[in-house]
């Protein structure tokens, strides 16, 4: 039985089978996001179904799943990471002028992602949840943070990024703080993932009230067949 305490053990599967079901593609026991939304997938127990769902020679991004694929699935990457959960006090509203971002803001969001490289971001990634931003006096989007996985009882904070020219002003902290406020207001708890090697970001999140829940390893594999 899945509970809010255990849904973080398989956040991709629990998101796709509940609050992100409208963004999912599924075949048998396998499930994945629409490729324009995200590359994350969960195999369940059926590797053949996942291979058919993704197609030959495509990447299966298994995120934090510990499942081991058949021998003919080519390893593509392995990234040690950390899963953090929010355990602090909900922050007060910030004086930073934060704006909600929508479809019309996508070109500016894409430009910020390309300049800062916080992680995967696809044409429909903003459909995963709320995205907030900060613009400078010229209207340029200089900082952003959003929501990603949503297993029952939780909402993941992701895509936290700031242009180098705007760093040191507390913009990322203000954006994360506002997301924490909104997530708590709807009855969820915030969580996030980051690369284990990103110690600078870890210190920032710890100051904001996040604590380590578990270490994870994100892995990607190429499905059999097709061109490498």
């Amino acid at each position: 039985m899945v509970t809010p305490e255990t849904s973080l053990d398989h956040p991709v599967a629990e998101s796709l089978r509940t609050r992100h079901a409208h963004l999912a593609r599924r075949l048998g026991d396998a499930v994945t996001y629409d490729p324009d939304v995200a590359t994350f997938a969960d195999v369940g127990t059926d590797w053949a179904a996942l291979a058919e769902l993704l197609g030959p020679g495509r990447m299966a991004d298994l995120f934090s799943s510990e499942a081991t694929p058949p021998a003919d699935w080519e390893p593509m990457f392995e990234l040690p990471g950390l899963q953090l959960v929010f355990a602090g006090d909900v922050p007060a509203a910030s004086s930073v002028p934060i704006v909600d971002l929508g479809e019309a803001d996508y070109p500016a969001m894409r430009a910020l992602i390309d300049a800062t490289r916080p992680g995967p971001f696809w044409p429909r990634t903003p459909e995963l949840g709320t995205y907030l931003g900060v613009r400078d006096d010229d209207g340029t989007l200089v900082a952003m943070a959003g929501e990603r996985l949503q297993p029952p009882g939780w909402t993941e904070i992701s895509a936290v990024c700031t242009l180098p020219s705007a760093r040191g002003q507390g913009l990322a902290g203000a954006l994360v703080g506002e997301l924490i406020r909104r997530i708590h207001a709807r009855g969820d708890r915030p969580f996030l993932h980051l690369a284990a090697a990103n110690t600078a970001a870890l210190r920032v999140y710890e100051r904001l009230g996040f604590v380590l829940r578990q270490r994870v390893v994100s892995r990607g594999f190429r499905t059999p067949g097709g061109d490498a």
Side-chain angles (χ1 to χ4, degrees):
M1 177 181 177
V2 176
T3 68
E5 289 70 33
T6 62
S7 63
L8 290 188
D9 293 337
H10 302 283
V12 171
E14 296 307 322
S15 296
L16 284 166
R17 293 187 171 100
T18 56
R19 289 187 279 185
H20 281 165
H22 63 293
L23 302 173
R25 297 184 300 140
R26 65 186 72 249
L27 181 65
D29 201 28
V31 62
T32 185
Y33 281 95
D34 184 287
D36 283 343
V37 176
T39 59
F40 304 136
D42 187 85
V43 66
T45 59
D46 195 340
W47 291 98
L50 183 59
E52 183 177 347
L53 185 62
L54 296 176
R58 304 304 296 268
M59 184 179 71
D61 186 342
L62 297 183
F63 200 60
S64 59
S65 171
E66 297 178 353
T68 301
D72 56 349
W73 289 57
E74 177 191 351
M76 295 183 67
F77 68 85
E78 183 172 296
L79 179 65
L82 306 174
Q83 185 185 78
L84 309 182
V85 296
F86 183 71
D89 296 325
V90 177
S94 171
S95 60
V96 172
I98 294 172
V99 297
D100 286 80
L101 301 175
E103 185 176 354
D105 299 298
Y106 182 80
M109 297 165 74
R110 181 73 258 179
L112 180 58
I113 290 290
D114 289 343
T116 57
R117 303 290 183 181
F121 195 87
W122 309 106
R124 293 175 56 203
T125 293
E127 294 181 28
L128 291 170
T130 298
Y131 272 78
L132 305 176
V134 178
R135 296 184 179 275
D136 65 11
D137 293 340
D138 296 327
T140 300
L141 185 66
V142 296
M144 180 176 73
E147 298 173 351
R148 194 166 64 176
L149 301 178
Q150 294 193 31
W154 300 87
T155 298
E156 182 188 24
I157 295 175
S158 182
V160 181
C161 53
T162 306
L163 282 179
S165 60
R167 290 173 184 166
Q169 303 176 41
L171 303 184
L175 287 164
V176 172
E178 179 60 22
L179 285 173
I180 290 171
R181 286 165 45 82
R182 297 191 186 196
I183 291 167
H184 266 272
R186 62 175 184 258
D188 271 8
R189 288 184 62 189
F191 76 109
L192 55 84
H193 293 91
L194 73 158
N198 195 350
T199 55
L202 176 60
R203 289 193 293 270
V204 171
Y205 290 129
E206 286 176 334
R207 287 198 297 270
L208 290 169
F210 286 87
V211 298
L212 177 67
R213 179 179 184 266
Q214 65 176 342
R215 294 182 177 272
V216 297
V217 178
S218 295
R219 299 176 301 146
F221 298 88
R222 194 185 308 278
T223 59
D227 296 327

